[in-house]
């Protein structure tokens, strides 16, 4: 017959399982971040190559293709190892469904690369194709972040996801800005799009700031990164404030591209640090949990305390009492299994609450994205327009964007399908 | 090499795993509901027995003890079968930790029963002991509800948990009211406690009402149940409106007890219906998901569509399009794996959103309970007083109780431990 202690040990083992799953997730996220980075570089070089009518950047692009293919192979190998049985039911289904989507994109990647060169696609269309694949990869990271069972790991994953998403907006900004400079003339709607990308990027970095560990946050504002950002802000001002139809210097396209790339590389450094932190956190927590498991196991040897202790212990020990500070409930027994049980329950409860808090930011994002998708599909809006509409509604109603998004989705649920 | 379809199938299998886990959870919840009901009857009869100074109800109590022991054995056997490996990491740890707590109580139950008779405990103390054990059992149901991965099952579990918790408040109301009548004199603080139990009960039944299927809800307002409730309300008025110190008719104690018991039995009927519904829902969903799994598997045979379809399909298909309405994305291919992938992702997304909505009510409850626990521990308040304090704060600040609870917990986190 299983005892109370058996279940206490089982609870601890569950925790360890969850952490080991997270440690593996950290590897998946790491290789995904590297694949995204490779594809972002490939997208940039492909745009430069297509923009020069195939006269320049051919070699650099080919080199990047080799690098991209290598990371893709690594990505496939890493996800091949993902065990369906080891995943959590709800999150597992979502994660696998996202991976299935990425594989659809990866399977079409080589044909896409040929098509881009031979099919005469322009830079806008090429950008759009890469944007789609990268979005599918980011959705995998999103689900990984949402599946975390440990609040600290969850916060790091939320920070990482937002950094990656911010970096992707930076990549799209790079493409949009380079195209604007190259065209040689300011265009109001393109400028609007650029501003939207900058704003989206900043929103992501704000969430990153709220969730990342301080040392990692500091990396992004290091002197080197700050200089790059200052230069970028100057160029942003030039390209965004030019009157519609006013001339832009096409030769600045390359400068813009280089500064944006430097900014993205700085972000990648922070990303690498975060993924390393993530792995470290998981390892550290697994070690700690395993030590606790052993400590709990030692209780098995001890004598049974007063069997009535469950009914006699005070109902509400102060929640803020440190777990180690065993007052023995004032009963003449040693630290009992019951105390372990209560400590454990309290700790798991607090962890659950923290976890919900970290997940709240993911839920908000989910709601906003779904509301945007709804507007895009039903009103034929672009992503930027859909976002602007939501923001405008929020301002008019003096509510948060997420509340407007929620109301919109609730409304859509009762409206008949088109 | 695993394909996109493999991961799609893996996602479906994850869903099925989750549903099978829920089907087993439905059995755990069912036996827990029966054990709670047995202990509630035992508590009631023990109170009558102790209240009569051991002169009456001895036989009825002994009969109930036999019945309780039998359900306890069933409960232990059912939970013995719970496999640590099959549980979900985060929720699993919390669930196991709750079970460990229940076992502490069950292990002390026989000593408690002896102590109650031989140790000269009064009815208040006896009630308190059973309340504690039942609370531990309800916590198991709460975690089970919180771990559901399917929104419909989750809603049913939320309804069931709230019904069970409401019934437990009804049981405490029965004990408190019977004691008041038996004492023969109204007592303001006991009346206050009674009102608090009635209010808590109604709050639970409101949540039950919001989440239970309509047919089940109707059961609780059936003519038979309504008559009982009307009689109960009359007695509630009598006992709650009597002036402090005014006489109460002790002979009404038995009537009160019987009416309360009838009300609890009516609730148990609804409970039984809900647990049966729950099992049915799980079975039905498993069947459906398995049929879909087979349908997906048939795709493996089909020819590969245009590899570029991922990049060419419209980005945002209307989210409200019925999953079956395959327009082939306007491409000259049959319903492709990509469409399956998109449909699946959309469906899982919608399920995740619904799930969060159902869980929100559990989270609110969690916050309020924790805030109450904090007030009880730090200010030495009773549960009723802590609840009143929270409610008063909410009224004064014109905020919802849950928001006040959240603010209180946030504050406690930054205050130094005592």
């Amino acid at each position: 017959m299983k005892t109370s202690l058996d279940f206490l040990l089982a609870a601890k083992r569950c925790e360890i399982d969850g952490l080991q799953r997270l440690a593996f997730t950290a590897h998946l996220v790491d290789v995904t971040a590297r694949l995204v980075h490779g594809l972002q570089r490939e997208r940039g070089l492909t745009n430069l190559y297509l923009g020069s009518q195939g006269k320049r950047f051919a070699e650099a692009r080919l080199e990047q293709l080799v690098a991209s293919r290598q990371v893709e192979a690594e990505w496939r190998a890493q996800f091949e190892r993902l065990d369906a049985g080891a995943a959590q039911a709800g999150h597992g289904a979502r994660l696998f469904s996202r991976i299935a989507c990425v594989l659809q994109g990866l399977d079409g990647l080589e044909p896409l690369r040929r098509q881009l060169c031979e099919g005469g696609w322009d830079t806008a269309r090429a950008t759009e194709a890469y944007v789609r694949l990268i979005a599918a990869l980011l959705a995998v990271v999103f689900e990984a972040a949402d599946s975390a069972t440990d609040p600290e790991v969850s916060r790091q994953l939320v920070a990482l996801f937002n950094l990656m998403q911010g970096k992707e907006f930076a990549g799209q900004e790079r493409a949009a800005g380079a195209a604007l400079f190259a065209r040689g003339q300011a265009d109001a709607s393109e400028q609007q799009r650029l501003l939207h990308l900058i704003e989206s990027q900043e929103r992501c970095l704000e969430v990153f700031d709220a969730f990342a560990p301080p040392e990692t946050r500091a990396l992004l504002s290091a002197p080197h990164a700050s200089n790059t950002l200052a230069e970028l802000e100057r160029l942003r001002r030039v390209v965004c404030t030019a009157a519609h139809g006013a001339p832009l210097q096409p030769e600045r396209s390359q400068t813009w591209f280089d500064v944006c790339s430097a900014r993205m590389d700085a972000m990648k450094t922070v990303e690498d640090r975060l993924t390393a932190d993530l792995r470290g956190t998981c390892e550290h927590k697994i070690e700690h949990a395993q030590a606790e498991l052993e400590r709990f196991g030692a209780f098995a040897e001890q004598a049974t305390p007063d069997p009535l202790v469950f009914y006699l212990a005070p109902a509400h020990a102060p929640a803020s009492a440190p777990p180690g500070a065993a007052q023995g409930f004032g009963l003449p027994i040693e630290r009992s299994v019951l105390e372990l049980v209560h400590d454990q329950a309290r700790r798991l409860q607090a962890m659950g609450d923290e976890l919900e808090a970290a997940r709240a930011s993911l839920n908000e994002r989910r709601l906003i994205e779904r509301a945007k998708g709804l507007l895009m599909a039903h009103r034929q809006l672009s992503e930027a327009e859909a976002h602007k509409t939501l923001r405008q509604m929020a301002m008019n109603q003096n509510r948060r964007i997420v509340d407007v998004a929620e109301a919109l989705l609730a409304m859509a649920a009762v409206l008949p399908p088109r």
Side-chain angles (χ1 to χ4, degrees), chain A:
Chain A
M1 199 65 125
K2 283 184 197 160
T3 66
S4 181
L5 188 66
D6 289 332
F7 278 101
L8 197 66
L9 293 173
K12 202 33 113 182
R13 268 185 229 110
C14 264
E15 253 189 89
I16 294 175
D17 271 6
L19 287 167
Q20 278 166 342
R21 218 169 282 167
L22 281 179
F24 184 64
T25 301
H27 285 282
L28 296 181
V29 167
D30 178 46
V31 72
T32 304
R34 284 186 291 123
L35 182 53
V36 166
H37 192 65
L39 292 169
Q40 282 166 340
R41 286 181 61 91
E42 185 179 324
R43 175 176 59 194
L45 289 164
T46 300
N47 278 340
L48 290 175
Y49 170 76
L50 292 176
S52 73
Q53 272 78 41
K55 295 197 192 81
R56 293 165 62 206
F57 299 100
E59 201 173 328
R61 176 174 174 260
L62 286 180
E63 267 172 38
Q64 182 53 46
L65 291 190
V66 172
S68 294
R69 284 187 193 111
Q70 195 173 335
V71 193
E72 184 193 332
E74 262 187 77
W75 190 92
R76 284 181 183 262
Q78 191 75 261
F79 278 80
E80 185 87 19
R81 287 176 51 211
L82 186 60
D83 181 12
Q88 292 199 279
H91 294 300
R94 284 210 290 280
L95 179 63
F96 287 142
S97 145
R98 298 298 188 191
I99 295 168
C101 187
V102 168
L103 283 172
Q104 288 280 318
L106 289 180
D107 288 346
L109 189 52
E110 284 304 337
L112 172 74
R113 285 166 179 152
R114 278 194 301 276
Q115 188 72 21
L116 286 175
C117 299
E118 298 160 12
W121 285 26
D122 60 12
T123 53
R125 219 170 156 198
T127 300
E128 173 54 28
Y130 282 104
V131 164
R132 193 172 283 197
L133 178 55
I134 292 167
L137 284 162
L138 286 172
V140 169
V141 178
F142 183 91
E143 290 305 337
D146 203 31
S147 75
T149 47
D150 178 275
E152 191 180 345
V153 176
S154 172
R155 278 195 297 272
Q156 288 179 349
L157 279 167
V158 168
L160 182 58
F161 169 76
N162 278 282
L163 180 61
M164 287 178 73
Q165 179 68 68
K167 175 161 162 271
E168 168 57 7
F169 284 128
Q172 294 177 29
E173 180 197 0
R174 176 174 70 181
L180 249 177
F181 273 117
R183 163 198 298 222
Q185 206 178 33
D187 175 284
S189 92
E190 281 303 301
Q191 286 169 315
Q192 204 51 51
R193 205 170 94 77
L194 204 56
L195 283 172
H196 166 63
L197 288 169
I198 295 169
E199 194 203 310
S200 305
Q201 194 180 144
E202 289 188 335
R203 243 179 16 243
C204 286
L205 293 181
E206 277 164 24
V207 182
F208 160 80
D209 241 30
F211 286 93
E215 324 80 71
T216 320
R217 267 177 10 225
L219 269 182
L220 205 57
S221 44
H224 175 69
S226 295
N227 291 344
T228 307
L229 187 57
E231 175 65 8
L232 178 60
E233 288 291 10
R234 202 177 61 78
L235 289 167
R236 279 174 173 171
R237 178 172 48 76
V238 170
V239 72
C240 292
T241 58
H244 182 69
L248 291 170
Q249 295 170 280
E251 61 276 20
R252 272 188 156 169
S253 177
Q254 186 64 48
T255 318
W256 167 269
F257 192 91
D258 293 341
V259 172
C260 286
S261 301
R263 170 83 180 145
M264 289 171 73
D265 287 340
M267 285 170 148
K268 181 75 181 89
T269 312
V270 185
E271 236 176 67
D272 290 342
R273 167 68 178 268
L274 255 180
T275 49
D277 280 357
L278 198 57
R279 283 196 302 265
T281 305
C282 291
E283 278 160 33
H284 170 76
K285 292 203 165 232
I286 290 171
E287 239 170 73
H288 182 76
Q290 257 155 355
E292 271 210 306
L293 185 63
E294 279 169 41
R295 197 166 64 79
F296 284 10
F299 267 79
E301 324 282 307
Q302 296 195 6
T304 313
D306 182 348
L308 275 180
V309 67
F310 176 87
Y311 299 100
L312 297 174
H316 279 269
S320 57
Q327 318 96 315
F329 289 142
L331 291 170
I333 49 157
E334 290 208 54
R335 195 165 155 72
S336 69
V337 174
L338 182 68
E339 283 174 275
L340 277 191
V341 168
H342 281 308
D343 282 353
Q344 172 91 326
R346 253 200 304 271
R347 199 178 59 81
L348 289 172
Q349 189 61 63
M351 270 174 63
D353 294 342
E354 280 181 62
L355 198 59
E356 290 300 329
R359 288 188 63 223
S361 84
L362 297 174
N363 274 332
E364 289 193 2
R365 187 193 148 77
R366 217 199 305 263
L367 287 171
I368 293 173
E369 289 306 309
R370 279 192 61 213
K372 275 201 276 190
L374 197 80
L375 287 174
M376 289 163 77
H378 282 256
R379 295 224 214 138
Q380 322 293 338
L381 298 182
S382 73
E383 209 255 328
E385 289 164 340
H387 182 75
K388 206 174 143 189
T389 305
L390 270 188
R391 202 179 41 191
Q392 198 57 52
M393 284 168 78
M395 269 165 58
N396 292 349
Q397 301 174 26
N398 197 17
R399 294 161 77 190
R400 294 185 312 154
I401 286 194
V402 61
D403 295 330
V404 171
E406 205 167 1
L408 203 69
L409 291 169
M411 227 131 75
V414 296
L415 290 176
R418 296 197 317 162

